[in-house]
């Protein structure tokens, strides 16, 4: 049953393959703010009774982000791909800025609000972008393939971040490089998707060229491809 929900043949489509790679990069860093927000606040000497405000801010902003960005994604005048890419870029930048927060909890809440809001939009738009790329009839198979990429990334992302944090223990900002690297992976996941329109345009041009070649007789029609009336006309 699991195998039936994963169609790796979809990866032959360059646009969808790039989207899958983007989801992998996003998922590498997606859970870092959730798992290490409290530890980051501890290292920054945020008062203990206020550290839970950070996760609470992510959660509340995430709820609003799903509604607002989901609403925008339904508007005909909005470029959904550009909106999706923007949510990833802003979420990535917010994650990269987190280690520079001070002992004031409000500085942590700012990055938490930005990450929560725009990561919520990312979640809400993913299935819509999948339909735009492969069609609604392949949504189930395509989403299963994406979940495979996401699952692997989530499984390795948090342990790697924790290992890096242990390696830099004793430094002034032990979470600096982990957050920069994994926030950067989210940022890159949004930037690379701007190539999708170029890939799709190239694909459309290739298909139009092939059809034009056939219509102009560059590629001859064999009798096997002709209907019976057409064969009789040639005879």
């Amino acid at each position: 049953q699991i195998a039936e929900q994963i169609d790796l043949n979809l990866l032959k489509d360059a646009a969808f393959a790039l989207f899958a790679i983007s989801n992998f990069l996003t998922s590498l860093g997606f859970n870092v703010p959730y798992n290490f927000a409290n530890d980051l606040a501890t290292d920054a000497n945020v008062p203990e009774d206020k550290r839970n405000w950070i996760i609470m801010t992510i959660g509340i902003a995430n709820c609003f982000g799903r509604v607002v960005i989901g609403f925008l994604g339904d508007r005909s005048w909005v470029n959904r791909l550009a909106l999706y890419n923007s949510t990833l870029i802003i979420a990535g930048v917010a994650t990269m800025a987190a280690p520079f927060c001070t002992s004031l909890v409000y500085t942590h809440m700012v990055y938490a609000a930005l990450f929560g809001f725009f990561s919520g939009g990312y979640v809400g738009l993913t299935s819509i972008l999948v339909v735009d790329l492969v069609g609604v009839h392949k949504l189930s198979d395509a989403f299963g393939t994406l979940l495979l990429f996401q699952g692997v990334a989530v499984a390795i992302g948090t342990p790697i971040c924790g290992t890096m944090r242990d390696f830099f223990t004793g430094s002034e900002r032990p979470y600096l490089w982990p957050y920069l690297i994994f926030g950067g992976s989210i940022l890159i996941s949004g930037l690379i998707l701007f190539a999708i329109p170029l890939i799709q345009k190239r694909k459309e041009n290739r298909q139009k060229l092939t059809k034009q070649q056939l219509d102009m007789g560059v590629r001859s029609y064999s009798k096997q491809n002709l209907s019976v009336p057409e064969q009789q006309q040639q005879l």
Side-chain angles (χ1 to χ4, degrees), residues 43 164-175:
D43 289 340
M164 291 178 65
R165 192 270 179 206
D166 293 340
F167 181 80
F168 290 107
T169 298
S171 63
E172 184 179 354
R173 290 193 180 100
Y175 275 110

Side-chain angles (χ1 to χ4, degrees), residues 18-203:
L18 186 63
F19 191 73
I21 294 171
S22 171
N23 270 258
F24 179 84
L25 293 173
T26 303
S27 298
L28 277 177
F30 185 79
N31 289 317
V32 168
Y34 291 99
N35 292 327
F36 298 105
N38 187 74
D39 294 336
L40 180 65
T42 301
D43 289 340
N45 297 316
V46 174
E48 185 176 357
D49 60 330
K50 296 181 179 178
R51 293 172 193 165
N52 61 332
W53 294 7
I54 303 169
I55 291 294
M56 179 181 68
T57 302
I58 295 178
I60 294 174
N62 192 279
C63 293
F64 282 101
R66 291 177 186 240
V67 174
V68 174
I69 297 178
F71 173 81
L72 290 176
D74 281 338
R75 304 302 98 188
S76 59
W77 47 269
V78 173
N79 185 318
R80 287 196 290 258
L81 179 62
L83 179 63
Y84 181 86
N85 298 348
S86 300
T87 63
L88 293 176
I89 291 171
I90 297 174
V93 171
T95 303
M96 296 173 71
F100 299 99
C101 293
T102 66
S103 59
L104 293 175
V105 69
Y106 301 107
T107 60
H108 292 260
M109 292 175 68
V110 170
Y111 95 78
L114 288 172
F115 174 80
F117 185 87
F118 288 99
S119 65
Y122 147 75
V123 173
L125 291 176
T126 299
S127 58
I128 298 175
L129 263 292
V130 171
V131 172
D132 289 343
L133 289 174
V134 301
V136 68
H137 60 291
K138 292 185 179 179
L139 173 61
S140 180
D141 292 339
F143 213 81
T145 303
L146 285 183
L147 290 178
L148 174 64
F149 279 80
Q150 292 177 4
V152 172
V154 168
I156 65 177
T158 301
I160 293 175
C161 184
T163 301
M164 291 178 65
R165 192 270 179 206
D166 293 340
F167 181 80
F168 290 107
T169 298
S171 63
E172 184 179 354
R173 290 193 180 100
Y175 275 110
L176 177 62
W177 285 108
Y179 267 74
L180 286 180
I181 291 173
F182 287 97
S185 72
I186 300 175
L187 172 63
I188 293 172
S189 72
L191 291 175
I192 63 175
L193 291 182
F194 283 108
I196 285 183
L198 299 177
I199 294 173
Q200 290 179 324
K201 185 176 181 180
R202 182 181 177 185
K203 182 180 178 181

